Structure formats: C-alpha cells, structure tokens
Amino acid sequence: MDKLLKRKIDSFLLNWKADADKKPLIVKGARQIGKTRSIEWFANGNYASVVQINFVEQPKYKSIFDDGFEVDRILKNISLLNPDFTFVPHDTLFFFDELQACPNCATALKFFKLDGRYDVICSGSLMGINYREIESNSVGYKEDYEMHAMDFEEFLWAKGYADDFIEDLYLHMSEIRPFTQLQLDVLFELFRDYVTLGGMPEVVNTYIQNKNFSGTLGIQRQLLADYEEDITKYVEGLDKAKVKAIYNHISTFLAKENKRFQITKIARNARNRDYIGCVEWLADAGVVNICYCMNYPELPLKGNYDPKLYKIYFKDTGLLIASLDEEAQEDLRANKNLGTYKGAIYENIVGDMLVKQGYNLFYYSSDKPSLEMDFFLRDADSLIPVEVKAVDGATVSLNNLLKDDKYPDVKYGIKLGYKNIGFNGKFYIFPYFLTFLLKRFILRGMSKPQ
C-alpha cells in the first residue's frame, strides 16, 4: 500500500499502540483530511490481522451489536457476515470507520477495553456526527484524537524537508536569529504555495506528483461542492438553506475591512436569532473556524467574549482561495499577490495555523479608543496580542496595547508579516511561515522579554 504523505498522526498511533494500558481510540476530523488512509497504513504495518468495517459502505455490520456488547458475541456476528476475518488475540486491530453512522459501536468500546484482547480504532467525520451521543456512550473508556488537514510542517515534510530543518527554524525563532535573504526567499515561496494549496491531502499530493499547481484547483472546487452537498445531507434540526447561506457568504465578509460576519446582511430581514446554531454547526462539522470578539483585552480568554460578534474563517485557506472569482484566482496563483484580498487570506491562514496547535480564536475591536487586534494568545500569566500584517505598516494598536496601563495583562506582543525575525523590546516580529511554531515558542518560555 502506497502512502506518500507523512502525517503527525503516524507517530501518535505508534505511541498509542506501545501503551500497555491504552484505551480504544476515536480519530475525529473533517471529511477528506486523510483519517482513513493514515489508519489503514498504520494498521497494515503493525498488526497480524486487521478487521476493517465501514458503517456507511457496509451498513449490514451495524447489526453486529444487536445481541449485546460482549466481545465474543460481537466477533461471532462479524464472522457470520464475513468468515474470512481472523481474530488474533493481542495482534488484531479492529478499525471501525464512519463511526457516526453507528453510535452503538461507541457503546461497545467499554467492553473491548475491559476485555483487553484486541486493539480498536474508530474514525468518524465531524460532518453529521452525533458526537455528543457517542461521547456519552463511551465516556471513560476511549481516547480522542482530533485530526486536521495538513499543517505547514507536514507540507514541508511532503516537499522533502526533514525534522532537522524544522528544528533549525525553531532555533532561529528561539534565539531571535534572523534568516539569510536566501532562506527567507525560499521559505516565503514555500509558504505561499502552502497558502494557495491548503492542506487537503489530495490537493497536496497532486501538487507534489505534478511539481506544479495543475489539477489542484479542480480538486479544491470539487471539495467545496462536496461540503455543500454534505450540508444538505447531514444538517438536522436546522434550516439547511440558512446553513448554506452562511457557508456561501464567508468569503464575502472576509473581503470587507472589518471582516466581521453579520447575519443581518446575508438575506433580507435576516435576524441573528433565526440563525442560532447554524454557525456552530459549521464549526462542529470541521468546515470553519470561528473567531470571537473579546469584551475587553484581559485574561481569562474563555468567557470574556461576545458570542454574537465573530469572524468566520475557512478551515482550509486553499478552499477559501478556490471559492473566489476567476480574476482573484488568476491574481493569486499567477502573481502570488496574496495581499489583494484585504488581509483576509493572511488572517485565515494564521487562524488556521493557530487552531491546528490547539488554540481557540479571539480578536478585539473597539471604536473608543480605536483599537483592533487580529488574535490573542496567552502564556501562564500574560495576554499576548498577535497582529497579522498583510503589508508592512505602522502597528498602532499593538503599540497602544503595550504602552497603556489600562491593559496590565498585556506584557508583550507578536507581529507576523513578510518580515525577518526581530524583537524591539516590546513585541516579537516573525515571518508568517513560523506561525506553526508559536505554541512551542510560548510554552518553552522563550517568549518572556528579558
């Protein structure tokens, strides 16, 4: 079985298998990000026997739990449906794919864990998954792993760069050591390609195989169409037309100066209360990232925001670009002119890179005094404003946050742009492509100004 793309889940799965007290694993994530491929690759290389069942493609297997959840009874029912499966104690992996189509399978995880003879991995798309039901069915007897589309580090691996190259990037960052012009040119070129492609494995794989962008836009547009079709298929308890309307207006609002999503402007007489749950559904499905407006720039982040004020970003920046009109496409792909879209593409990619590190997204906007900040992170005792600059210009809001005694939680900041590494005594300056290392930088305590 060929597997071109190295993914971060690969090492996670090996560590999971090595744990003598491991629990059944649920790998969740958006559609078409490589979950099934990665699990199959791991399974076939590490087990004498693999029992793979897809509850969408093979719905007859939903009945294997009809007689109860005792493991031997489940095995007997599987054998009735397919006598070719073999069950080798302590060397068999059960891979239950499309878990969302069979919540009963989640109940069985407790019994597989207590039995202890077989390893179990479940995979489920967040699109339409009854995850709350699955959570209650298996609480305490499973481990979760949320998988994303490829991040910039995985993209660098796909391009042939090794771990020591990534480590060198981090050393530059931690030592505040600028890159040479050659290094900057190469890394920014790689980053622009990643932004244009996004992280969907089929898109990246096509780009790697062809050594250019040919064929990638068609795949991206098909993915957009697939997501829209899935909205129609999986939305339950909400107005499908309203969910689609939000999905189809994301790029429209990102093109505006303040980028805030406004329900009142997507349809005549549209009201926020009529769309409650629609935005959250898209986020839960893994289609979008939501960035909430903070009430005030202070800790804590959670609970300190207005749920009615938010920006919506595409999970995948490549799909954002693919959703634009033909002229924008040509400008972005041919001229690499990513700044023409009012900074939306840079905000989108930075937001996505932060989410892939486990961050929730928050911004701040105020007229009195005039203050705008794209994102906020935190360390143990500081609120860290992050400014995303599409063009090199004054950092008025960042400077105001840092000099004003009204914001005591803000001790230093981070500015991202087409710049080399630097520190001016108040905020760190990093090139965009280092965003994927920000959490490591902050957690290591390297970011504390001396």
Side-chain angles (χ1 to χ4, degrees):
M1 177 184 176
D2 177 51
K3 180 175 183 283
L4 174 68
L5 301 172
K6 175 184 173 185
R7 303 298 302 274
K8 289 185 174 177
I9 194 175
D10 298 344
S11 58
F12 175 86
L13 290 172
L14 289 172
N15 291 333
W16 172 81
K17 185 179 189 299
D19 182 358
D21 192 35
K22 61 181 162 294
K23 298 176 180 178
L25 179 67
I26 297 180
V27 178
K28 55 182 181 172
R31 298 177 76 77
Q32 303 183 62
I33 59 169
K35 299 185 299 296
T36 299
R37 186 97 171 149
S38 293
I39 297 167
E40 287 175 342
W41 176 258
F42 160 75
N44 291 325
N46 290 280
Y47 290 88
S49 177
V50 178
V51 178
Q52 182 171 352
I53 292 169
N54 183 309
F55 290 117
V56 170
E57 294 177 1
Q58 303 162 295
K60 64 183 180 181
Y61 282 97
K62 294 180 188 179
S63 64
I64 62 177
F65 309 107
D66 287 354
D67 300 330
F69 299 101
E70 183 186 359
V71 171
D72 284 329
R73 194 179 297 271
I74 293 169
L75 268 54
K76 180 180 178 182
N77 286 337
I78 291 174
S79 294
L80 283 169
L81 292 170
N82 186 348
D84 292 335
F85 280 134
T86 58
F87 313 114
V88 182
H90 308 293
D91 206 1
T92 295
L93 176 73
F94 285 84
F95 175 23
F96 297 117
D97 204 359
E98 302 290 5
L99 174 65
Q100 74 277 4
C102 185
N104 271 343
C105 181
T107 304
L109 299 184
K110 172 182 178 179
F111 299 89
F112 273 101
K113 167 59 180 166
L114 294 174
D115 180 272
R117 288 176 291 162
Y118 304 102
D119 292 353
V120 180
I121 297 179
C122 301
S123 176
S125 164
L126 291 171
M127 183 77 79
I129 195 167
N130 294 313
Y131 198 72
R132 287 175 185 83
E133 181 181 353
I134 287 166
E135 182 80 20
S136 63
N137 286 3
S138 55
V139 64
Y141 293 95
K142 50 89 180 169
E143 180 178 358
D144 291 318
Y145 181 94
E146 183 163 359
M147 190 173 175
H148 299 280
M150 297 174 70
D151 67 11
F152 187 53
E153 184 171 8
E154 291 171 317
F155 178 76
L156 291 174
W157 291 341
K159 289 287 290 182
Y161 293 95
D163 288 336
D164 57 352
F165 179 80
I166 310 294
E167 194 61 28
D168 186 62
L169 295 183
Y170 179 70
L171 286 175
H172 274 273
M173 195 178 192
S174 63
E175 297 168 5
I176 315 299
R177 176 163 46 93
F179 294 104
T180 66
Q181 190 59 49
L182 174 62
Q183 288 173 314
L184 277 181
D185 291 344
V186 169
L187 285 158
F188 274 127
E189 181 72 16
L190 287 164
F191 178 74
R192 282 190 291 266
D193 284 357
Y194 172 67
V195 172
T196 306
L197 291 161
M200 301 304 268
E202 186 182 359
V203 176
V204 175
N205 203 13
T206 299
Y207 160 83
I208 295 296
Q209 298 284 4
N210 295 338
K211 297 182 171 57
N212 56 48
F213 290 109
S214 64
T216 58
L217 179 57
I219 297 169
Q220 289 170 321
R221 287 186 169 159
Q222 185 58 52
L223 286 166
L224 286 168
D226 290 346
Y227 273 147
E228 188 162 344
E229 182 181 334
D230 284 341
I231 290 170
T232 302
K233 187 186 303 181
Y234 289 112
V235 169
E236 295 178 2
L238 295 168
D239 188 323
K240 295 176 182 182
K242 289 175 180 173
V243 177
K244 271 191 181 181
I246 292 171
Y247 176 70
N248 290 324
H249 279 82
I250 296 171
S251 56
T252 304
F253 284 97
L254 288 178
K256 300 182 183 302
E257 285 296 338
N258 74 3
K259 302 178 184 62
R260 181 163 66 84
F261 202 93
Q262 295 172 274
I263 293 291
T264 54
K265 295 187 178 179
I266 68 172
R268 185 184 297 273
N269 300 322
R271 295 171 296 185
N272 271 302
R273 67 172 179 265
D274 297 329
Y275 286 77
I276 290 173
C278 295
V279 175
E280 289 81 0
W281 187 92
L282 286 168
D284 289 345
V287 178
V288 303
N289 292 321
I290 305 177
C291 184
Y292 288 104
C293 185
M294 296 179 67
N295 294 319
Y296 193 75
E298 65 183 3
L299 294 173
L301 284 168
K302 289 186 178 179
N304 177 27
Y305 65 89
D306 188 335
K308 298 187 296 297
L309 299 177
Y310 50 83
K311 300 177 185 179
I312 304 178
Y313 298 111
F314 274 89
K315 271 276 188 192
D316 188 88
T317 305
L319 296 185
L320 165 61
I321 292 176
S323 75
L324 305 179
D325 58 43
E326 297 285 348
E327 291 75 21
Q329 284 283 334
E330 180 62 27
D331 191 27
L332 289 163
R333 289 173 185 273
N335 303 320
K336 307 288 179 72
N337 190 10
L338 302 180
T340 57
Y341 210 61
K342 293 186 169 64
I345 290 167
Y346 293 108
E347 280 190 35
N348 202 102
I349 190 65
V350 168
D352 184 53
M353 292 169 93
L354 294 175
V355 167
K356 284 172 177 168
Q357 293 169 77
Y359 286 112
N360 295 310
L361 301 183
F362 302 95
Y363 75 101
Y364 184 70
S365 179
S366 170
D367 293 330
K368 296 178 182 179
S370 180
L371 199 61
E372 299 275 347
M373 189 50 54
D374 300 309
F375 300 105
F376 283 92
L377 308 178
R378 66 165 300 171
D379 61 20
D381 55 10
S382 310
L383 184 65
I384 309 167
V386 178
E387 186 161 32
V388 178
K389 299 296 286 187
V391 294
D392 192 29
T395 52
V396 177
S397 289
L398 189 53
N399 281 316
N400 286 341
L401 279 168
L402 288 161
K403 75 179 183 182
D404 202 320
D405 292 339
K406 289 191 297 186
Y407 313 109
D409 290 337
V410 179
K411 299 178 176 63
Y412 63 95
I414 293 170
K415 175 182 175 182
L416 302 169
Y418 276 109
K419 303 284 286 182
N420 211 328
I421 293 175
F423 179 61
N424 64 6
K426 295 186 294 184
F427 57 82
Y428 294 91
I429 302 151
F430 293 126
Y432 285 120
F433 55 78
L434 289 181
T435 303
F436 78 100
L437 291 167
L438 272 183
K439 188 167 191 175
R440 181 179 173 189
F441 177 76
I442 290 169
L443 290 178
R444 291 284 179 90
M446 301 302 299
S447 52
K448 299 286 187 186
Q450 300 300 312

